Amino acid sequence: MAIEHDYFGLLSSGPDGSIFWSETVELGDQAVTVDLTAPDQDDVSADALDIAAALISGLEEVDGAARRGMLAEVDDRASEVTEYILQQQEAYGDELEDVLVDVSADPAVDIIRSMRLMSMTILADEHGGSEPFAVLEYALDPDNTDDVLLVNLSSDGAVQSVMSGD
C-alpha cells in the first residue's frame, strides 16, 4: 500500500507497513537532512502529513522556535542545555570564539546561535499524541555528532523538551 500527498508525493510502505521519506533541505547556507517516518502507515493521517509539510516549509521559523526553547533553559543550572554549554566551553577553552558565528558578552547565547541544525526527524504517527512529533538535532561541531542537543516538538510546533543526544 501507499499514501499519496501533495508535498511528499507517493509514500510507499515497506513489507512491515512502515513508511520513510528523506530529503535534504536548505536552511540559509546549511543543508539539513529531513526524515519522515512511521512504523505503520495506518497510523499516519492526512493532517499529520499536512503539518509535517508545513514544518518543513517553515523550517526557518521552526529553527527559531527551537533556539528560543534552548535559550529559555539557559537560566536553569540543571538543564541539559546549560550542561551542554558548559561542556562546549570546557572542550574548546580559549578556542571557543573560533567556532562561534557571533561573539558577544554572553557565551551561552553565542553557542546557541552558532549551533548547526543537522537534521529534523518527523515521527508522523505521533500527531496529536504526547510523544514528540518532530525532533531537531543541533551540534556546535557538525563533525562531532556525539555532542548534540535534541529539541522535541509537538505536532503544533511547540517545544516540548530539550535533551542531550549522547
Side-chain angles (χ1 to χ4, degrees):
M1 287 183 53
I3 301 172
E4 190 159 355
H5 189 267
D6 289 343
Y7 184 89
F8 298 104
L10 189 62
L11 295 169
S12 298
S13 63
D16 61 354
S18 65
I19 60 171
F20 182 78
W21 175 91
S22 186
E23 190 77 34
T24 300
V25 177
E26 296 300 317
L27 177 64
D29 62 348
Q30 300 178 40
V32 179
T33 302
V34 178
D35 297 327
L36 179 131
T37 184
D40 187 347
Q41 77 170 11
D42 294 336
D43 294 336
V44 179
S45 67
D47 285 345
L49 294 176
D50 290 344
I51 291 169
L55 289 174
I56 297 166
S57 297
L59 191 56
E60 188 172 336
E61 291 81 22
V62 171
D63 176 52
R67 290 177 195 272
R68 286 189 298 279
M70 286 186 267
L71 282 170
E73 294 195 17
V74 167
D75 291 336
D76 178 358
R77 291 197 174 278
S79 79
E80 294 196 37
V81 174
T82 301
E83 185 177 312
Y84 179 87
I85 289 168
L86 293 173
Q87 287 173 344
Q88 297 308 305
Q89 287 175 313
E90 183 178 321
Y92 284 99
D94 294 337
E95 292 155 14
L96 179 63
E97 288 186 10
D98 297 340
V99 298
L100 298 177
V101 175
D102 191 19
V103 178
S104 70
D106 191 342
V109 171
D110 297 341
I111 288 171
I112 291 171
R113 278 187 195 151
S114 300
M115 292 178 75
R116 181 180 170 143
L117 175 57
M118 305 297 292
S119 67
M120 176 167 70
T121 302
I122 298 170
L123 308 164
D125 60 317
E126 296 297 341
H127 169 57
S130 61
E131 295 297 314
F133 180 72
V135 179
L136 286 74
E137 179 184 24
Y138 288 88
L140 186 59
D141 178 0
D143 295 327
N144 185 359
T145 55
D146 290 339
D147 287 335
V148 298
L149 281 178
L150 304 173
V151 179
N152 297 314
L153 303 178
S154 62
S155 52
D156 65 0
V159 174
Q160 287 181 311
S161 64
V162 181
M163 51 198 251
S164 176
D166 55 355

